[in-house]
Amino acid sequence: MPSAIWIPGGWHNEKFMQVMIDGRDMLGLDYSVPHALLSAHGVKVQPHDLDLARSFRALDIEQRRRAISNEIRTYQRDYDRNLISERQYNRGIERSRRKMEQLQEQARDLPL
């Protein structure tokens, strides 16, 4: 089925009608009539919630921090159980510390 804004039942028509009813798109994001009309003509514009984007970035950094902390604990546990040499332990810990420093720099560079 062709998808044009003037064809009932098409993707763009449904999107436009939804915007006319409650001003939100199918994902529940704020959407305006001009955005829907532009989208129907191939211009994809969408507002972004900056607070939400910051929250996802912070969540990503926290998950990566935990993963690096788990690496360090794994190296410590393996060394304590004599599964790796002291050289392997030191190399692994140093690599994990460098990762942590890079992550901290990225976290500092995040816009507030």
Side-chain angles (χ1 to χ4, degrees), residues 49-77:
D49 184 350
L50 296 179
D51 291 332
L52 184 61
R54 279 189 212 102
S55 297
F56 279 119
R57 282 297 300 258
L59 179 63
D60 177 55
I61 287 175
E62 178 59 24
Q63 288 173 339
R64 290 167 52 198
R65 187 198 63 76
R66 276 192 233 134
I68 295 168
S69 294
N70 287 340
E71 278 181 19
I72 292 171
R73 279 194 296 276
T74 299
Y75 284 121
Q76 182 64 49
R77 185 178 58 243

Short mmCIF file of all heavy atoms in Angstrom, two decimals, residues 49-77:
data_model
loop_
_atom_site.label_atom_id
_atom_site.label_comp_id
_atom_site.label_asym_id
_atom_site.label_seq_id
_atom_site.Cartn_x
_atom_site.Cartn_y
_atom_site.Cartn_z
N ASP A 49 14.96 14.63 23.96
CA ASP A 49 14.93 14.99 25.36
C ASP A 49 16.36 14.91 25.89
O ASP A 49 16.92 13.82 26.05
CB ASP A 49 14.01 14.03 26.11
CG ASP A 49 13.84 14.38 27.57
OD1 ASP A 49 14.58 15.26 28.07
OD2 ASP A 49 12.97 13.77 28.22
N LEU A 50 16.97 16.06 26.14
CA LEU A 50 18.37 16.08 26.55
C LEU A 50 18.58 15.45 27.93
O LEU A 50 19.60 14.81 28.16
CB LEU A 50 18.90 17.52 26.53
CG LEU A 50 18.94 18.17 25.16
CD1 LEU A 50 19.46 19.59 25.25
CD2 LEU A 50 19.78 17.35 24.20
N ASP A 51 17.63 15.64 28.82
CA ASP A 51 17.76 15.03 30.15
C ASP A 51 17.76 13.51 30.04
O ASP A 51 18.53 12.83 30.72
CB ASP A 51 16.62 15.48 31.07
CG ASP A 51 16.74 16.95 31.45
OD1 ASP A 51 17.88 17.46 31.47
OD2 ASP A 51 15.70 17.57 31.72
N LEU A 52 16.90 12.98 29.18
CA LEU A 52 16.85 11.54 28.97
C LEU A 52 18.16 11.04 28.35
O LEU A 52 18.70 10.01 28.77
CB LEU A 52 15.66 11.18 28.08
CG LEU A 52 15.41 9.70 27.83
CD1 LEU A 52 15.13 8.98 29.14
CD2 LEU A 52 14.26 9.52 26.86
N ALA A 53 18.70 11.78 27.39
CA ALA A 53 19.96 11.40 26.76
C ALA A 53 21.09 11.40 27.78
O ALA A 53 21.92 10.48 27.80
CB ALA A 53 20.29 12.36 25.62
N ARG A 54 21.13 12.41 28.66
CA ARG A 54 22.16 12.45 29.71
C ARG A 54 22.01 11.27 30.66
O ARG A 54 23.01 10.68 31.07
CB ARG A 54 22.05 13.76 30.49
CG ARG A 54 22.71 14.90 29.82
CD ARG A 54 22.76 16.12 30.74
NE ARG A 54 22.67 17.30 29.93
CZ ARG A 54 21.59 18.05 29.75
NH1 ARG A 54 20.49 17.77 30.38
NH2 ARG A 54 21.61 19.09 28.97
N SER A 55 20.79 10.93 30.98
CA SER A 55 20.56 9.80 31.89
C SER A 55 21.07 8.50 31.27
O SER A 55 21.70 7.69 31.97
CB SER A 55 19.07 9.66 32.21
OG SER A 55 18.61 10.78 32.88
N PHE A 56 20.82 8.31 29.98
CA PHE A 56 21.31 7.09 29.32
C PHE A 56 22.83 7.08 29.25
O PHE A 56 23.45 6.03 29.42
CB PHE A 56 20.71 6.95 27.92
CG PHE A 56 19.33 6.37 27.94
CD1 PHE A 56 18.26 7.09 27.44
CD2 PHE A 56 19.10 5.11 28.45
CE1 PHE A 56 16.97 6.56 27.46
CE2 PHE A 56 17.82 4.56 28.47
CZ PHE A 56 16.76 5.30 27.98
N ARG A 57 23.45 8.24 29.01
CA ARG A 57 24.92 8.30 28.99
C ARG A 57 25.49 7.97 30.36
O ARG A 57 26.46 7.23 30.49
CB ARG A 57 25.41 9.69 28.56
CG ARG A 57 25.34 9.97 27.10
CD ARG A 57 26.25 9.06 26.29
NE ARG A 57 27.64 9.15 26.64
CZ ARG A 57 28.56 9.79 25.98
NH1 ARG A 57 28.24 10.40 24.87
NH2 ARG A 57 29.80 9.81 26.38
N ALA A 58 24.88 8.53 31.41
CA ALA A 58 25.34 8.25 32.77
C ALA A 58 25.17 6.77 33.10
O ALA A 58 26.04 6.17 33.73
CB ALA A 58 24.58 9.12 33.77
N LEU A 59 24.07 6.19 32.68
CA LEU A 59 23.83 4.77 32.91
C LEU A 59 24.88 3.92 32.19
O LEU A 59 25.42 2.97 32.75
CB LEU A 59 22.43 4.38 32.44
CG LEU A 59 22.03 2.91 32.58
CD1 LEU A 59 22.02 2.50 34.05
CD2 LEU A 59 20.69 2.68 31.94
N ASP A 60 25.20 4.30 30.95
CA ASP A 60 26.21 3.58 30.18
C ASP A 60 27.57 3.66 30.87
O ASP A 60 28.27 2.65 31.00
CB ASP A 60 26.31 4.16 28.77
CG ASP A 60 27.40 3.51 27.95
OD1 ASP A 60 27.39 2.26 27.83
OD2 ASP A 60 28.27 4.24 27.43
N ILE A 61 27.94 4.84 31.34
CA ILE A 61 29.22 5.00 32.03
C ILE A 61 29.25 4.18 33.31
O ILE A 61 30.26 3.53 33.62
CB ILE A 61 29.52 6.48 32.28
CG1 ILE A 61 29.88 7.14 30.95
CG2 ILE A 61 30.61 6.68 33.31
CD1 ILE A 61 30.09 8.62 31.00
N GLU A 62 28.16 4.16 34.04
CA GLU A 62 28.11 3.37 35.29
C GLU A 62 28.24 1.88 34.99
O GLU A 62 28.93 1.15 35.70
CB GLU A 62 26.81 3.67 36.04
CG GLU A 62 26.64 2.88 37.31
CD GLU A 62 27.75 3.09 38.34
OE1 GLU A 62 28.42 4.14 38.31
OE2 GLU A 62 27.95 2.19 39.18
N GLN A 63 27.59 1.41 33.94
CA GLN A 63 27.71 -0.01 33.58
C GLN A 63 29.13 -0.36 33.19
O GLN A 63 29.65 -1.41 33.56
CB GLN A 63 26.75 -0.34 32.43
CG GLN A 63 25.31 -0.36 32.85
CD GLN A 63 24.36 -0.53 31.67
OE1 GLN A 63 24.71 -0.25 30.53
NE2 GLN A 63 23.14 -0.96 31.95
N ARG A 64 29.78 0.53 32.43
CA ARG A 64 31.17 0.28 32.05
C ARG A 64 32.09 0.32 33.25
O ARG A 64 33.04 -0.46 33.35
CB ARG A 64 31.60 1.30 30.99
CG ARG A 64 30.87 1.04 29.66
CD ARG A 64 30.99 2.14 28.65
NE ARG A 64 32.34 2.56 28.40
CZ ARG A 64 32.64 3.71 27.82
NH1 ARG A 64 31.69 4.53 27.44
NH2 ARG A 64 33.89 4.03 27.60
N ARG A 65 31.82 1.22 34.21
CA ARG A 65 32.62 1.30 35.44
C ARG A 65 32.51 -0.01 36.22
O ARG A 65 33.51 -0.55 36.71
CB ARG A 65 32.17 2.48 36.31
CG ARG A 65 33.08 2.70 37.52
CD ARG A 65 32.42 3.54 38.58
NE ARG A 65 31.24 2.93 39.15
CZ ARG A 65 31.24 1.93 40.04
NH1 ARG A 65 32.36 1.39 40.44
NH2 ARG A 65 30.10 1.45 40.51
N ARG A 66 31.30 -0.53 36.33
CA ARG A 66 31.10 -1.80 37.03
C ARG A 66 31.83 -2.94 36.34
O ARG A 66 32.40 -3.82 37.00
CB ARG A 66 29.61 -2.12 37.14
CG ARG A 66 28.96 -1.45 38.31
CD ARG A 66 27.57 -2.03 38.55
NE ARG A 66 26.67 -0.90 38.59
CZ ARG A 66 25.52 -0.81 37.98
NH1 ARG A 66 25.07 -1.80 37.26
NH2 ARG A 66 24.78 0.27 38.06
N ALA A 67 31.80 -2.95 35.01
CA ALA A 67 32.49 -4.01 34.26
C ALA A 67 33.99 -3.96 34.52
O ALA A 67 34.63 -5.02 34.70
CB ALA A 67 32.19 -3.88 32.77
N ILE A 68 34.55 -2.76 34.55
CA ILE A 68 35.99 -2.64 34.83
C ILE A 68 36.29 -3.07 36.26
O ILE A 68 37.29 -3.76 36.51
CB ILE A 68 36.47 -1.19 34.56
CG1 ILE A 68 36.32 -0.87 33.07
CG2 ILE A 68 37.91 -1.01 35.01
CD1 ILE A 68 36.50 0.60 32.74
N SER A 69 35.45 -2.69 37.20
CA SER A 69 35.64 -3.12 38.60
C SER A 69 35.58 -4.64 38.71
O SER A 69 36.36 -5.26 39.46
CB SER A 69 34.58 -2.50 39.50
OG SER A 69 34.74 -1.11 39.55
N ASN A 70 34.68 -5.25 37.95
CA ASN A 70 34.60 -6.72 37.94
C ASN A 70 35.87 -7.33 37.36
O ASN A 70 36.33 -8.37 37.85
CB ASN A 70 33.38 -7.19 37.15
CG ASN A 70 32.09 -6.95 37.89
OD1 ASN A 70 32.07 -6.77 39.10
ND2 ASN A 70 30.99 -6.89 37.15
N GLU A 71 36.44 -6.71 36.33
CA GLU A 71 37.71 -7.20 35.77
C GLU A 71 38.80 -7.19 36.84
O GLU A 71 39.55 -8.15 36.97
CB GLU A 71 38.18 -6.29 34.62
CG GLU A 71 37.57 -6.55 33.30
CD GLU A 71 38.13 -5.59 32.24
OE1 GLU A 71 39.21 -4.99 32.46
OE2 GLU A 71 37.47 -5.44 31.21
N ILE A 72 38.87 -6.09 37.57
CA ILE A 72 39.89 -5.97 38.62
C ILE A 72 39.70 -7.04 39.67
O ILE A 72 40.66 -7.70 40.10
CB ILE A 72 39.87 -4.55 39.24
CG1 ILE A 72 40.34 -3.53 38.20
CG2 ILE A 72 40.72 -4.49 40.51
CD1 ILE A 72 40.16 -2.08 38.61
N ARG A 73 38.46 -7.27 40.10
CA ARG A 73 38.19 -8.33 41.09
C ARG A 73 38.55 -9.70 40.54
O ARG A 73 39.07 -10.56 41.27
CB ARG A 73 36.73 -8.28 41.52
CG ARG A 73 36.45 -7.22 42.56
CD ARG A 73 35.09 -7.41 43.22
NE ARG A 73 33.98 -7.24 42.27
CZ ARG A 73 33.46 -6.08 41.92
NH1 ARG A 73 33.92 -4.97 42.42
NH2 ARG A 73 32.46 -6.03 41.07
N THR A 74 38.30 -9.92 39.26
CA THR A 74 38.64 -11.21 38.64
C THR A 74 40.14 -11.42 38.65
O THR A 74 40.63 -12.51 38.98
CB THR A 74 38.08 -11.29 37.21
OG1 THR A 74 36.66 -11.17 37.26
CG2 THR A 74 38.46 -12.60 36.54
N TYR A 75 40.90 -10.38 38.28
CA TYR A 75 42.36 -10.49 38.32
C TYR A 75 42.84 -10.79 39.75
O TYR A 75 43.71 -11.64 39.96
CB TYR A 75 43.04 -9.22 37.81
CG TYR A 75 43.01 -9.07 36.31
CD1 TYR A 75 42.41 -7.97 35.72
CD2 TYR A 75 43.58 -10.03 35.49
CE1 TYR A 75 42.38 -7.82 34.35
CE2 TYR A 75 43.56 -9.89 34.11
CZ TYR A 75 42.96 -8.79 33.54
OH TYR A 75 42.93 -8.65 32.18
N GLN A 76 42.26 -10.10 40.72
CA GLN A 76 42.66 -10.30 42.12
C GLN A 76 42.34 -11.73 42.57
O GLN A 76 43.17 -12.40 43.18
CB GLN A 76 41.93 -9.30 43.03
CG GLN A 76 42.32 -9.39 44.49
CD GLN A 76 43.77 -9.04 44.72
OE1 GLN A 76 44.23 -8.01 44.23
NE2 GLN A 76 44.49 -9.88 45.44
N ARG A 77 41.15 -12.20 42.24
CA ARG A 77 40.75 -13.56 42.63
C ARG A 77 41.64 -14.61 41.96
O ARG A 77 42.11 -15.55 42.60
CB ARG A 77 39.28 -13.78 42.27
CG ARG A 77 38.74 -15.13 42.73
CD ARG A 77 37.28 -15.33 42.40
NE ARG A 77 37.04 -15.22 40.97
CZ ARG A 77 36.27 -14.30 40.39
NH1 ARG A 77 35.65 -13.39 41.11
NH2 ARG A 77 36.10 -14.27 39.08
#
